[in-house]
Amino acid sequence: MFSFTVAALVFGVIFLAELPDKTALASLMLGTRYRASYVFAGVAAAFLVHVVLAIAAGSLLTLLPHRILQLIVGLAFVAGAAVLLFKKDDDEEEIAKPADQSFWKVSGAGFMLILVAEFGDLTQIMTANLAARYDDPVSVGAGATLGLWAVAGLGIVGGRTLMKYVPLALITKVAALVMLALAGFSLYEAAVG
């Protein structure tokens, strides 16, 4: 059964974790150069592929004994929070321009950029962890997909404006604190079993 609570929680966690990611900046850069709807179509399709893969991986994790699963999920959230808190900003990557502005060229460029850049990324690993934690693939998948799409949409349409008012460092710290809270819950459940 679909849980709006789980979907909303996953949306918030994934949204906050993806905001400071390089793919949000890549979406912003593509959106400033090409038709926004074309860019979003490609980026959204790539994110959907990543969520499906993450949900499948998370579903496999649920086969583990409950205490071991909670320990793994808790440690993964701690690692995710550490990555967010201690990562150094990468230099912006140059995005190759498609030869023309056709839908297939622009959306294909966005799809390939996100597909490659997000593989094994923190939000994909977090989605797998959340799928394992809640054992609700539909709710987790919907929340993660909508969170990623919301960040992509913000990046494409209004990223520059957002960054003027909300510092990236603050967004990163909030995402890390949310992950630490989730880690605490998972580790507590692992300890008390």
Side-chain angles (χ1 to χ4, degrees), residues 7 13 31 37 40 47 73 92 97 102 119 137-138 164 171 175 181 189:
V13 168
S37 61
F40 185 78
F47 277 135
V73 169
E92 289 184 19
K97 289 187 177 186
S102 74
F119 197 78
V138 175
K164 286 180 185 175
I171 294 167
E189 286 183 3

Side-chain angles (χ1 to χ4, degrees), residues 156-187:
I156 292 167
V157 176
R160 288 184 181 172
T161 304
L162 177 67
M163 294 303 190
K164 286 180 185 175
Y165 299 107
V166 181
L168 189 59
L170 176 63
I171 294 167
T172 301
K173 286 179 180 150
V174 169
L177 289 174
V178 169
M179 278 189 267
L180 285 173
L182 288 169
F185 289 131
S186 295
L187 293 172

Side-chain angles (χ1 to χ4, degrees), residues 15 35 46 48 55 69 76 81 91 101 106 122 130-131 142 150 152-153 157 164 180 184 189:
F15 180 85
R35 179 178 275 175
L48 184 60
I55 295 295
L69 174 62
D91 293 330
Q101 293 278 328
V106 173
L122 177 63
L130 289 163
V157 176
K164 286 180 185 175
L180 285 173
E189 286 183 3

Side-chain angles (χ1 to χ4, degrees), residues 64-104:
L64 294 170
H66 182 73
R67 290 183 92 170
I68 293 172
L69 174 62
Q70 292 303 337
L71 181 63
I72 291 170
V73 169
L75 292 174
F77 278 127
V78 169
V83 166
L84 282 177
L85 288 172
F86 300 114
K87 77 175 186 171
K88 297 188 191 262
D89 293 332
D90 298 332
D91 293 330
E92 289 184 19
E93 298 173 13
E94 185 61 32
I95 299 171
K97 289 187 177 186
D100 59 41
Q101 293 278 328
S102 74
F103 172 81
W104 294 110

Side-chain angles (χ1 to χ4, degrees), residues 90-167:
D90 298 332
D91 293 330
E92 289 184 19
E93 298 173 13
E94 185 61 32
I95 299 171
K97 289 187 177 186
D100 59 41
Q101 293 278 328
S102 74
F103 172 81
W104 294 110
K105 296 271 186 179
V106 173
S107 64
F111 179 85
M112 291 307 296
L113 175 70
I114 298 303
L115 190 68
V116 171
E118 281 291 302
F119 197 78
D121 193 59
L122 177 63
T123 51
Q124 190 178 31
I125 294 166
M126 287 174 53
T127 301
N129 288 335
L130 289 163
R133 173 161 177 59
Y134 292 108
D135 197 20
D136 186 356
V138 175
S139 302
V140 171
T145 300
L146 292 174
L148 292 167
W149 287 358
V151 171
L154 276 175
I156 292 167
V157 176
R160 288 184 181 172
T161 304
L162 177 67
M163 294 303 190
K164 286 180 185 175
Y165 299 107
V166 181

